[in-house]
Amino acid sequence: MQSNRSITKGLMQRVSAAIALLFVLNIFIPIIASATSLFNLQYDSVSGKVYGYIYSDKPSLSVGLNDETFGMQIAYSNLQYTNRENNNDYYYYDLNEIESNENKGLKPVTAVVYEDSNMSAPVFSSSNDVTNDVYTYNTGAIPILSAPTDLHASIYHGYWIINYSLSDYTFLGGVNVYLDGKQVGTVPGRQNQYSMPYTFNQPTEHIQMKTFNLLGIESPLSETLTLVFDAVPDAYHYQGRVYTNGYASDNTKFDIKDANGQIVESFTYHGQEIKGDTLLGNGHYEIKQNSSDIDYGGKHLAYYFDLPSNDYSISVTNSANKQFQVQSYSTNYAGYTEYEGLYSYVYQLDVYMYGTFKEAPVLFTDKEAGHWFAPNEELVAFTPSQNTGGRLDIQFPYDMFPYQGVGSHNTTTLDTENMTGSDFQVTKVSDGSNISIKSVFVGQPDFRPSGLSLVLDKTLVAGEKYVLKMSSSSGANEIRLPLWPSEKFNMAISLSIASDKYDIFGGRLIDDYLETQTVNILPTGTVTAVAAVTAKITALPAVTNLVKEDETAVNAAKAAFDLLTPAQKALVTTADQTKLSDALAKIAALKTPPPGLGFAFPMNNSPQASEDGATINTSMNTTKEKGADGKEFSRVKLDSDVFTKALDVIKGNDKNHQVITLDGKGTEAGAKLDIPAASLIEAWKANSNITIAIQSDAGTYQVPVSIFKDIAKQVNKDLKDVNVTISVTKASEKSYEALQQANPGMKTLLANPIEFTITAVSGSTKVEINDFSGTYVERTIVVPSTVDGDKTTVVSFDPVTGKMTFIPAIVSHVKGSTEITIKSPHNSMYTLVELNKSFNDISTHWAKADIELLASKFIVQGMNEASFAPEQHVTRAQFASMLVSALAVPQDAKSSSFVDVKKDDWFAGAVGTAAKLGLVEGNSAGEFLPNADITREQMAVMISRALKISGKEAQSVQQDKLSSFTDNGAISDWAKTAIAQSLAAGIVNGLSEQTFAPQENATRAQATVMLKRFLQYVDFIN
């Protein structure tokens, strides 16, 4: 009872309600049988909401609630229907939870739907269900409809037409059609006809039907109608279309050929419809033109021929005597015909008569990613094949297979806000005249994005060359090429009959030219880099005038050329490349002493002390060899005596001065060091801190001798017969090409990936040593320019799968160049890439910078390409994957023994590796619980264990450091030491100065920030 109602009013309403209730129970229930409204309503007495649905043949209704105390309360008055249902036979009302304070607290015994505006034709509910203060009312069960009767079939235009009769339309939804017991179709509303294709040589089929009401309740099955199909058609109906694409339709000739290719009948179109009976078999023919040239698809001739078999072929010759062969596909379906008979349909592919220009168009070349076309910059040159083209379409470079989604990264941007017809200029080359542009618009079909259409004020002349370029008044802000470089972009140019419809594959097309995955968009900076190399080569004296003093300039030009990518090198002219090659040969000849001078200088290869240990002179032990790609590398063969002398030099040095350095420089492709395995074991036994550093033009490899301690087990040979080759070389250009093909949007900063390998060889046995037992081995590469450590990442690259994986690296700058120190626990092929990754849902997030940093370094991933979900809780599997990626350890699904981790789970490899490394443990049931949200204390423990693996543990701290947190009692005993270490390292912080919240779950953003701090603490990133 509502408090604002007076006692007097309440007593009167109780009396009214009692009378109304009797009235309902004794009078209104029979109304349901003849009512035309079907409803199901719910009423929430707490909120006062009424919701549900009503089907009715009335366009306006009212809804009331009849309360046992207060009588009738109107919930909705003069409702307007939501939409029409079932071929407009019924109105559908969606009651969308409208709230009313007046309706709160009622206890209605019925719901009422009034079918007229005067509320004089009520339909009452016949059921009352109450659950948790929610009352449900409906009109009760409605009668099941009768099945269709009098099923009979006929054949019309190649279709079975099945007619039937309906005896009951009350709340009829439609008819479901069943073929041999399986539903195959539905006929909505009161229709009494169903059609299905007639198929030759088909087994007998049995049709039955069921009616269904608006609630989807079906009737029993109808009687069975049996359909019998003919095995052989009367003839074969060849039907198709020929688009003339600017050519005159007159004198288009159709030749019908038999299976042997002989012409057996011909028809020529002469400006008006022709039809009649074919000379071959029982059938007809017709050739006619569509109504007008402005129909979608353009002007075309529609034809059909009825022929006695399906092995005929049709060729079409147009008015310019160009012949086209029609491709046919025979079917078992009956063809649509306006005349008697059953004809099997032979599908004819549409014929399009457009050309590919008189000669191949010349597209722009040597443009960089993100390039904006400038005023007067040429776009394309082309020569039409016909005189009827009045609209020029350009599909600027786009990615045909956009695995990374479609956007400005792989699609040309056309800025329509800054674009008008005056921004472009079409010039006829022969006389220099310009063709005016009437209008410009942009089309975006799925198959050819970045489409620009220019409607010209006149048709172009066949055989004349035209050039399209940006006009002098354009603003360099209309067209921008994709932001990602690639050699696999598509581009197209087409000429059509003038139209404002974007239908480049229609009958209006005159000429079409497509470059498929061959358009090359250069990396940013390519033009500048190539120009700089060209300038260095041009500045060299003529080869005949070179002297020894020119060596520095020649070597500088060679070094600059070597830094170019293969695609960039191709842009250096053949003449310049020849000049550089000849200059190098001339300098080498100038440095070679003439033979027979009769004296020589003694060479000393004894190891000498150096700042960090000892240096071995390798000049007497170095030869030049060529790899499989023909490029030279240095091979240093170190004998045991020289190495033993080097050990003597560093004997007694502290652990920071135990480096033995060998120089393998002087060849473009890098260096390889051969050393007896026994010498390496000798060094390890002498001092496990000894490191061998081999320097090359590709990079420096610092190899701790401790990684060889188990080499005897690895090769299973007597060590006196084993040699070890330590290699640091530039990978082949094919590897670079594989990298580019697998990652077309990636900016690569090294011309060739660098490969570090260690191989043990004994006779025919060769064993690669890739696992360093968790030791992070350092390598150094130098880039002769300044790169940003936050924007660049060293990655290991698998040339087979194309997959790139984060590798720890520290970037430092020295005199304009960049020295990159790589730390990796395994060998691989490495390169330096730049990726700027972001997500749509972090634009204003507090962790945006850290998320972008680690996502660009392949350490964290989004939930998909566009979303990171920063506030979503991070799961145990997700954090294990993040941490394994941060440690740059190969994933190993076989190492997982958890019962709830399957080998094909996306996280199986990461969890397996994390278990192998001791980062994670399961519960007593052998479960990992991968999808459970990880707690803050669990994360701290995993980070503490990762510190140990990285080789840089946090300082030991007392657990009483945790006492400053008021919730320290909630920290599990097994986690206290790890949390204290993580706190001391500054990797993990409390949620506040007073609380650590060990049992709370961390978000994906928080996990990312912790990972970044971890990586910086262990010197894995800057």
Side-chain angles (χ1 to χ4, degrees):
M1 184 182 297
Q2 298 185 13
S3 59
N4 62 348
R5 295 188 173 101
S6 67
I7 296 175
T8 303
K9 183 178 180 180
L11 290 173
M12 293 177 66
Q13 288 178 326
R14 287 188 181 93
V15 174
S16 299
I19 296 172
L21 179 58
L22 291 172
F23 195 45
V24 168
L25 296 176
N26 292 286
I27 299 174
F28 288 157
I29 288 177
I31 294 178
I32 296 170
S34 61
T36 53
S37 291
L38 172 66
F39 64 86
N40 186 291
L41 307 176
Q42 289 79 43
Y43 161 69
D44 187 333
S45 63
V46 176
S47 65
K49 291 180 180 178
V50 178
Y51 45 95
Y53 64 84
I54 303 172
Y55 288 100
S56 176
D57 63 354
K58 302 297 189 295
S60 180
L61 299 173
S62 298
V63 177
L65 301 171
N66 193 15
D67 180 65
E68 65 182 9
T69 302
F70 302 110
M72 189 62 63
Q73 303 290 313
I74 300 301
Y76 295 92
S77 180
N78 294 322
L79 273 173
Q80 298 301 306
Y81 63 87
T82 306
N83 56 340
R84 302 292 293 273
E85 290 281 338
N86 207 18
N87 287 347
N88 297 330
D89 288 342
Y90 290 95
Y91 298 92
Y92 173 73
Y93 297 82
D94 185 7
L95 309 186
N96 194 18
E97 298 189 5
I98 295 181
E99 227 174 307
S100 171
N101 288 328
E102 288 297 319
N103 291 333
K104 289 182 179 180
L106 300 178
K107 293 184 178 181
V109 294
T110 56
V112 185
V113 173
Y114 293 100
E115 294 187 326
D116 63 339
S117 58
N118 298 325
M119 301 186 187
S120 60
V123 180
F124 289 86
S125 63
S126 60
S127 85
N128 179 351
D129 176 58
V130 184
T131 304
N132 296 330
D133 297 316
V134 176
Y135 294 73
T136 300
Y137 302 101
N138 56 58
T139 46
I142 61 175
I144 296 177
L145 299 173
S146 301
T149 59
D150 190 25
L151 275 67
H152 56 281
S154 59
I155 301 172
Y156 181 70
H157 289 322
Y159 280 79
W160 283 114
I161 306 299
I162 302 170
N163 291 282
Y164 51 88
S165 300
L166 298 173
S167 59
D168 190 354
Y169 296 97
T170 306
F171 302 125
L172 174 67
V175 173
N176 287 331
V177 182
Y178 291 83
L179 174 62
D180 293 326
K182 182 179 179 181
Q183 184 179 342
V184 293
T186 297
V187 183
R190 302 187 180 194
Q191 300 178 48
N192 60 354
Q193 188 179 89
Y194 176 73
S195 64
M196 57 185 288
Y198 185 100
T199 309
F200 294 101
N201 199 25
Q202 181 82 356
T204 299
E205 294 179 343
H206 304 91
I207 297 291
Q208 291 176 287
M209 296 183 174
K210 293 180 180 181
T211 56
F212 62 89
N213 62 29
L214 292 174
L215 299 182
I217 301 172
E218 290 185 316
S219 72
L221 282 167
S222 71
E223 60 185 334
T224 300
L225 173 66
T226 300
L227 303 180
V228 180
F229 300 83
D230 288 349
V232 180
D234 297 331
Y236 291 83
H237 188 72
Y238 291 68
Q239 181 175 333
R241 290 175 296 189
V242 173
Y243 290 87
T244 51
N245 296 92
Y247 292 102
S249 298
D250 278 8
N251 296 315
T252 301
K253 182 183 178 185
F254 294 79
D255 291 322
I256 299 175
K257 302 177 182 179
D258 62 18
N260 297 318
Q262 298 298 313
I263 298 176
V264 293
E265 194 167 4
S266 297
F267 303 91
T268 302
Y269 179 81
H270 289 295
Q272 60 183 1
E273 178 183 74
I274 56 175
K275 61 191 303 184
D277 296 332
T278 59
L279 300 178
L280 304 170
N282 176 26
H284 313 275
Y285 74 88
E286 179 181 76
I287 304 173
K288 64 179 181 180
Q289 186 167 290
N290 67 323
S291 58
S292 75
D293 189 41
I294 62 172
D295 289 346
Y296 181 79
K299 183 181 292 184
H300 66 268
L301 295 173
Y303 67 89
Y304 65 79
F305 304 104
D306 293 329
L307 304 174
S309 68
N310 60 359
D311 58 0
Y312 287 85
S313 63
I314 298 171
S315 65
V316 183
T317 304
N318 69 9
S319 56
N321 207 31
K322 291 184 177 181
Q323 190 174 83
F324 301 85
Q325 186 65 42
V326 184
Q327 294 186 34
S328 299
Y329 296 94
S330 184
T331 75
N332 286 328
Y333 294 109
Y336 181 96
T337 61
E338 298 287 350
Y339 39 85
E340 292 296 325
L342 283 173
Y343 300 85
S344 183
Y345 180 50
V346 181
Y347 176 63
Q348 305 285 99
L349 285 184
D350 290 344
V351 172
Y352 291 93
M353 294 183 171
Y354 59 82
T356 56
F357 292 93
K358 194 169 183 64
E359 55 189 42
V362 179
L363 309 178
F364 58 79
T365 58
D366 301 341
K367 303 300 181 186
E368 294 184 0
H371 173 73
W372 286 96
F373 281 93
N376 298 313
E377 192 168 359
E378 189 170 312
L379 300 176
V380 63
F382 60 95
T383 304
S385 65
Q386 286 193 61
N387 294 320
T388 49
R391 193 190 76 202
L392 187 63
D393 296 300
I394 307 289
Q395 282 72 47
F396 286 91
Y398 65 95
D399 186 0
M400 176 176 278
F401 303 106
Y403 299 119
Q404 302 292 331
V406 176
S408 58
H409 60 288
N410 61 357
T411 303
T412 300
T413 299
L414 303 178
D415 192 341
T416 54
E417 293 185 2
N418 293 317
M419 189 182 298
T420 65
S422 63
D423 292 319
F424 303 93
Q425 181 177 310
V426 178
T427 303
K428 185 178 177 183
V429 174
S430 61
D431 59 11
S433 61
N434 292 329
I435 311 300
S436 298
I437 297 171
K438 294 168 59 178
S439 62
V440 55
F441 60 92
V442 174
Q444 293 289 348
D446 292 339
F447 48 84
R448 286 189 180 180
S450 305
L452 174 69
S453 294
L454 304 175
V455 180
L456 312 176
D457 72 342
K458 65 174 67 174
T459 57
L460 303 184
V461 180
E464 287 282 357
K465 184 176 181 180
Y466 295 86
V467 173
L468 170 67
K469 66 179 182 178
M470 305 302 296
S471 71
S472 58
S473 61
S474 61
N477 59 354
E478 298 89 5
I479 303 174
R480 182 181 65 188
L481 293 177
L483 300 179
W484 282 2
S486 174
E487 298 178 358
K488 300 294 184 180
F489 282 109
N490 282 31
M491 183 174 174
I493 172 176
S494 58
L495 189 63
S496 304
I497 296 171
S499 167
D500 59 356
K501 292 182 178 180
Y502 200 90
D503 60 334
I504 56 175
F505 283 131
R508 283 185 290 275
L509 194 60
I510 302 301
D511 286 306
D512 189 52
Y513 178 81
L514 174 64
E515 287 278 3
T516 305
Q517 291 191 291
T518 54
V519 177
N520 183 17
I521 303 298
L522 304 172
T524 304
T526 292
V527 174
T528 302
V530 171
V533 170
T534 300
K536 288 179 182 293
I537 297 174
T538 303
L540 296 175
V543 175
T544 55
N545 297 331
L546 283 172
V547 294
K548 290 182 67 175
E549 287 73 20
D550 294 319
E551 180 180 7
T552 300
V554 172
N555 287 342
K558 175 64 165 57
F561 180 80
D562 288 343
L563 289 173
L564 298 179
T565 66
Q568 292 171 337
K569 289 177 181 178
L571 299 177
V572 179
T573 65
T574 302
D576 281 339
Q577 292 193 44
T578 301
K579 180 180 179 181
L580 178 59
S581 177
D582 292 345
L584 288 166
K586 179 66 177 292
I587 293 297
L590 291 172
K591 291 174 63 178
T592 303
L597 291 180
F599 63 91
F601 297 98
M603 303 275 303
N604 179 16
N605 68 338
S606 298
Q608 304 294 318
S610 64
E611 289 186 5
D612 54 2
T615 300
I616 297 177
N617 184 344
T618 59
S619 59
M620 294 180 63
N621 307 88
T622 302
T623 58
K624 301 288 193 295
E625 297 183 12
K626 288 187 177 181
D629 59 357
K631 293 186 177 179
E632 280 193 344
F633 64 88
S634 300
R635 182 175 287 278
V636 180
K637 295 185 178 181
L638 192 64
D639 61 50
S640 56
D641 290 341
V642 174
F643 190 70
T644 300
K645 291 177 182 179
L647 295 179
D648 291 338
V649 172
I650 62 175
K651 187 176 181 180
N653 289 0
D654 61 33
K655 66 177 183 179
N656 296 321
H657 296 80
Q658 295 288 330
V659 180
I660 299 175
T661 303
L662 301 99
D663 186 358
K665 293 181 178 180
T667 50
E668 176 186 0
K672 296 183 179 183
L673 167 67
D674 296 329
I675 184 171
S679 296
L680 295 170
I681 295 301
E682 177 188 0
W684 171 65
K685 290 179 178 179
N687 190 327
S688 61
N689 293 313
I690 292 175
T691 296
I692 300 173
I694 177 170
Q695 298 176 337
S696 78
D697 294 286
T700 299
Y701 197 179
Q702 295 174 286
V703 184
V705 295
S706 60
I707 70 171
F708 300 106
K709 62 182 179 180
D710 296 323
I711 191 172
K713 295 179 182 178
Q714 291 173 299
V715 297
N716 196 26
K717 297 282 185 178
D718 190 331
L719 289 184
K720 67 182 178 61
D721 299 323
V722 179
N723 275 321
V724 173
T725 300
I726 303 172
S727 173
V728 48
T729 56
K730 291 181 180 179
S732 67
E733 291 186 358
K734 289 184 177 179
S735 298
Y736 173 82
E737 291 169 359
L739 172 65
Q740 290 292 302
Q741 289 173 4
N743 305 277
M746 199 70 59
K747 182 178 181 180
T748 307
L749 303 181
L750 292 180
N752 296 84
I754 298 177
E755 193 167 13
F756 296 86
T757 61
I758 300 176
T759 308
V761 181
S762 176
S764 60
T765 302
K766 182 181 292 186
V767 178
E768 283 202 22
I769 301 174
N770 287 320
D771 186 357
F772 303 153
S773 301
T775 301
Y776 283 81
V777 177
E778 290 190 0
R779 299 107 165 136
T780 303
I781 58 177
V782 176
V783 179
S785 60
T786 302
V787 301
D788 188 338
D790 287 343
K791 293 182 179 179
T792 55
T793 302
V794 173
V795 294
S796 65
F797 166 65
D798 185 336
V800 176
T801 64
K803 183 179 180 181
M804 292 187 290
T805 307
F806 164 77
I807 296 296
I810 294 294
V811 173
S812 57
H813 301 127
V814 181
K815 296 181 180 180
S817 64
T818 302
E819 186 175 278
I820 302 172
T821 302
I822 303 169
K823 302 177 182 180
S824 176
H826 55 82
N827 274 328
S828 185
M829 190 181 295
Y830 301 100
T831 190
L832 184 67
V833 300
E834 181 176 311
L835 175 67
N836 297 310
K837 179 64 178 174
S838 190
F839 302 94
N840 296 339
D841 56 355
I842 65 169
S843 59
T844 59
H845 197 275
W846 61 271
K848 176 179 184 291
D850 289 351
I851 293 171
E852 290 178 337
L853 175 67
L854 265 59
S856 298
K857 290 184 177 293
F858 306 94
I859 297 171
V860 300
Q861 279 125 28
M863 303 304 290
N864 53 51
E865 281 297 314
S867 172
F868 185 76
E871 293 305 308
Q872 182 174 309
H873 287 165
V874 65
T875 66
R876 287 167 54 82
Q878 288 173 350
F879 191 66
S881 178
M882 292 177 182
L883 202 51
V884 167
S885 296
L887 290 168
V889 184
Q891 297 191 6
D892 180 12
K894 296 179 181 178
S895 297
S896 172
S897 60
F898 299 118
V899 297
D900 55 353
V901 177
K902 300 176 182 177
K903 65 179 181 180
D904 55 352
D905 287 332
W906 71 264
F907 49 77
V911 171
T913 297
K916 180 180 179 181
L917 296 175
L919 291 172
V920 298
E921 298 172 355
N923 60 20
S924 58
E927 298 170 324
F928 177 66
L929 305 177
N931 297 316
D933 294 337
I934 196 168
T935 64
R936 284 169 49 80
E937 68 175 11
Q938 289 172 345
M939 289 178 65
V941 170
M942 291 176 66
I943 288 173
S944 176
R945 293 170 178 171
L947 287 171
K948 185 176 181 180
I949 293 170
S950 74
K952 186 175 180 178
E953 287 189 76
Q955 294 181 351
S956 179
V957 294
Q958 299 298 319
Q959 293 184 13
D960 57 12
K961 296 288 185 180
L962 304 179
S963 60
S964 60
F965 295 118
T966 58
D967 57 354
N968 69 84
I971 300 175
S972 302
D973 290 340
W974 49 266
K976 288 183 177 178
T977 300
I979 291 175
Q981 287 180 332
S982 300
L983 286 167
I987 299 172
V988 178
N989 296 328
L991 277 188
S992 68
E993 293 185 2
Q994 292 79 33
T995 60
F996 183 77
Q999 306 305 324
E1000 285 198 18
N1001 303 122
T1003 65
R1004 286 169 52 80
Q1006 292 168 344
T1008 302
V1009 173
M1010 290 183 198
L1011 273 182
K1012 189 204 77 166
R1013 294 173 185 159
F1014 163 78
L1015 290 164
Q1016 291 177 330
Y1017 182 80
V1018 299
D1019 294 325
F1020 278 9
I1021 63 173
N1022 286 82

